[in-house]
Amino acid sequence: MTDSRVTTRFKLSTVLLLALIAICFYAPSALGQAQAQRSPVAPTKEQVQAVIDDAYAQFKTDTEGKNADYIPALAQVDPKLFGIVVISTDDQMASAGDIDRAFSIQSISKVFSLALAMEELGPDEVFAKIGSEPTGRPFNSVEAVVDMPTHTGNAFVNAGAIATVSLIQAPSADAKWDKLLDFYSKAAGEKLSLLPDVYKSEAATNTGNRALAALLLKYERIYADPVESVDVYTKQCSVGVTAKQLAMMGATLANFGKNPMTGEQVIKRENVAEILSAMTMAGLYDGSGGWAWHVGLPAKSGVGGGIVAIVPGKGAIAVFAPPLDEAGNSVKAQKAIAYVADKLGIDLFSPQSVGLK
Ligand code: DON
């Protein structure tokens, strides 16, 4: 063998060796990026921040709507509070306004109680016992309980939500409450707690919910003591969240159940599609059809003024602004999310959402 051949072989094997070392070093980080589950059509953090800043400026002085007052404590909340947060499935955050102010989660809690019931009983049993049909009626409707074939309707109207709480397995009402709060906290990635003033205020005035629970008992559609179930439900509605924490809870759903910050798989991956479908059908009550038409994102509202919208595989948008419309949905939150969704092209039913023009 000539000297030049030996040199060529030596050079080749050195190159191969170096390539092998490079693969060993860089492949795990490439894999890590894939595991972050970032959508290839997700906008950059800077693009999202610019859109949020615009939405905040545009709707900040909007005075449409009125705070809920059937729960007296909610009427006391400053109606000018307004915060917008987006958190992506790779844990990037963009925000504006009052994002660290705690407010009561109210009906948004129903999403996570549904998720917990599904963890425990499986989706089929929850669907059979609760259902997922829009009621076309207000969230506290007695008529819906009488008329709907399931009586519960879905997990997001008050009757269906109280029945969902009754499904959660625990040796006592206190243990059930602890379990729910722990589950919500895992979704938020930090410890959440009850807002005592809101709880006391609602517990003193929730005669309608007690009537709904009694009616469910008549139809045999509640699965634990009705009085205890209403009390645990009232506590879950009184959990305090900030817009930031709510966005993380939403991002956990967007990330198919895995909290993007803690990395914990909080909700079974295979249950998320059903939860999001329920949010699409009934997340904004009798405003859900219009919301799906105009915005095209699964979302859930609460009478505390919060709304969280989910963009599967990409992230979540949470907005807090107390004044509500007739259906009980925050006016400014709806406007801000609709604006952000339109500018970012994330309506799930649009070609833009999959990267097409
Ligand atoms: O039971 C109630 O009426 C309240 N704790 C929750 C209602 C609610 O948030 C409806 N949402 N838009």
Side-chain angles (χ1 to χ4, degrees), residues 70-71 106-107 139 158 202 209 233 237 285 301-303 328-329:
Y70 73 97
I71 299 171
Q106 296 297 341
S107 283
F139 60 81
N158 290 5
E202 181 163 350
N209 285 340
Y233 162 83
C237 290
Y285 307 108
S301 64
V303 289
N329 303 317

Side-chain angles (χ1 to χ4, degrees), residues 104-110 112-114 116-117 120 158-184 193-195 198-200 202-204 206 209-210 213 222-240:
S104 59
I105 189 170
Q106 296 297 341
S107 283
I108 306 168
S109 64
K110 296 167 179 174
F112 297 90
S113 294
L114 169 66
L116 182 55
E120 294 187 352
N158 290 5
I162 295 165
T164 303
V165 167
S166 80
L167 284 176
I168 290 160
Q169 308 295 300
S172 67
D174 280 349
K176 191 180 287 195
W177 159 238
D178 288 345
K179 200 178 198 183
L180 275 167
L181 188 61
D182 186 52
F183 189 71
Y184 295 2
S193 56
L194 186 89
L195 297 176
V198 177
Y199 170 63
K200 277 185 217 141
E202 181 163 350
N206 62 356
N209 285 340
R210 283 180 256 157
I222 189 160
Y223 309 97
D225 179 82
V227 174
E228 277 185 8
S229 300
V230 171
D231 187 51
V232 176
Y233 162 83
T234 308
K235 284 186 177 136
Q236 79 168 44
C237 290
S238 309
V239 168

